[in-house]
Amino acid sequence: MNELELLREWDADASPLTDTVRTRARFRLHQAMQAPAASTAVSRRPLLRIAVAAVAAAAVTTTVVVAENTGSSPRTRQVSATTVLRGAAAEERKLEKPIAPRDDQFIYTKEIIKETPVGGGRSNTYVDESWNSVDGSKRSYVSELEHAQWVPPYQPGQSDWPPRRWSQLKRLPTDPVRLPIALRGGGAEPDYSRPMKADEWPIVQFLLSGLLRTPVLPKGLRPAAFEALATVPGVKVLPGRTDADGRAGIGIQYVGRPGTPWADGKRVLLFDAKTYHYLGTRDQRKAGTVTYEQWSYVADHAVVDRVRQRP
């Protein structure tokens, strides 16, 4: 799924977003980030207004006690959000395999999404397979909740988040200190000499969590994103969570100021309780009057030569 899901939730009665509208909304979000003092009017997309006026949450240094099943006698240990996220970065560095896709290739991803109506009801499982053009010069084939469609090639000035073009991902720094600074500018030339401000962290954590859901990233970028997220004020750990397949895990959640779209706890990143390996995401989506609890994870990914080619 992508970051435009929040836009749907804030305007649930609107018609489904087309690719053109999605692209325009993403681009306007980036423009708003570049000029946080601007007073651009946005009539039907409250998230963009909030992105401009976002204020920082108070820092949360939550530490929880996690039970470990060692057989005869369970043990407990204290775990903080920083410990989980830095552990996830170390696990990713150990497991990641660098790739160098050609511009004429496609990034194939297979995502499993399981969702259940909040309050009870039948659960559904969706298998989304997508093929994204590496350089954006070819049509991509993208699926959301098993609704697949062709996405036209990129046009000059077009922007999205997370970036689907490999060249955009490669430009992001793999230093966890520089990465948030690069993201706060929304594509503008980063000023690494200026420290992060308190009111810049809410949108940066939103972009970091979206980046982490991208299945294929250049070497070092995902560990940097985990470590950068560990420095965000307002990130806390949630024990006793399970992923889409019922595996025991720990959740990481951003707690913003009440009333902001980041304070509602809808998005939770899930990690293995022992290794801190990233498992997937828990989120919500709204369709009409029904709100769905949604779990998702990437089951497979690869670099392929053509659309609908599988590894």
Side-chain angles (χ1 to χ4, degrees), residues 101-118:
R102 300 191 313 268
D103 285 348
D104 63 333
Q105 291 182 304
F106 295 83
I107 303 294
Y108 165 79
T109 60
K110 180 180 180 181
E111 185 178 29
I112 309 299
I113 300 172
K114 298 182 179 181
E115 63 178 27
T116 304
V118 174

Side-chain angles (χ1 to χ4, degrees), residues 13-178:
D13 295 329
S15 301
L17 300 180
T18 65
D19 289 329
T20 301
V21 173
R22 289 168 186 266
T23 298
R24 186 163 59 249
R26 290 186 178 110
F27 180 70
R28 293 174 73 184
L29 174 58
H30 278 258
Q31 293 296 98
M33 290 168 58
Q34 292 181 50
S39 58
T40 302
V42 182
S43 60
R44 299 181 69 248
R45 296 292 175 253
L47 172 63
L48 303 186
R49 288 198 300 272
I50 292 168
V52 176
V55 296
V60 176
T61 56
T62 305
T63 301
V64 300
V65 177
V66 178
E68 290 183 324
N69 185 4
T70 59
S72 57
S73 57
R75 296 182 304 177
T76 62
R77 57 187 173 92
Q78 290 188 329
V79 175
S80 67
T82 300
T83 298
V84 174
L85 290 165
R86 289 181 176 171
E91 180 74 2
E92 182 64 26
R93 287 194 175 96
K94 181 173 66 176
L95 299 176
E96 71 175 344
K97 298 178 180 179
I99 65 170
R102 300 191 313 268
D103 285 348
D104 63 333
Q105 291 182 304
F106 295 83
I107 303 294
Y108 165 79
T109 60
K110 180 180 180 181
E111 185 178 29
I112 309 299
I113 300 172
K114 298 182 179 181
E115 63 178 27
T116 304
V118 174
R122 191 183 71 173
S123 297
N124 290 308
T125 299
Y126 303 94
V127 180
D128 284 337
E129 293 182 290
S130 298
W131 289 261
N132 284 296
S133 173
V134 168
D135 67 354
S137 65
K138 297 178 173 61
R139 290 196 307 165
S140 298
Y141 192 69
V142 178
S143 176
E144 289 189 17
L145 299 181
E146 296 184 356
H147 294 288
Q149 60 182 332
W150 288 97
V151 177
Y154 275 82
Q155 302 298 317
Q158 188 173 335
S159 180
D160 64 357
W161 190 266
R164 287 187 287 135
R165 286 177 289 182
W166 194 253
S167 60
Q168 289 180 306
L169 292 169
K170 287 284 288 184
R171 285 197 293 268
L172 294 175
T174 56
D175 180 337
V177 176
R178 294 164 69 90

Side-chain angles (χ1 to χ4, degrees), residues 1 111-128 145 213 240-251 265-271 278-285 291-299:
M1 306 301 292
E111 185 178 29
I112 309 299
I113 300 172
K114 298 182 179 181
E115 63 178 27
T116 304
V118 174
R122 191 183 71 173
S123 297
N124 290 308
T125 299
Y126 303 94
V127 180
D128 284 337
L145 299 181
R213 300 177 72 178
R241 304 292 159 146
T242 57
D243 74 345
D245 288 335
R247 294 174 293 185
I250 296 174
K266 291 179 180 179
R267 173 172 297 179
V268 177
L269 303 180
L270 298 170
F271 300 84
Y278 178 57
L279 300 176
T281 304
R282 191 215 74 184
D283 217 325
Q284 287 187 0
R285 77 174 182 95
T291 299
Y292 293 90
E293 196 80 19
Q294 190 177 83
W295 294 260
S296 62
Y297 68 95
V298 174

Side-chain angles (χ1 to χ4, degrees), residues 216-233:
V216 183
L217 293 174
K219 182 180 179 181
L221 185 53
R222 193 181 306 277
F226 283 133
E227 291 182 337
L229 193 60
T231 67
V232 175

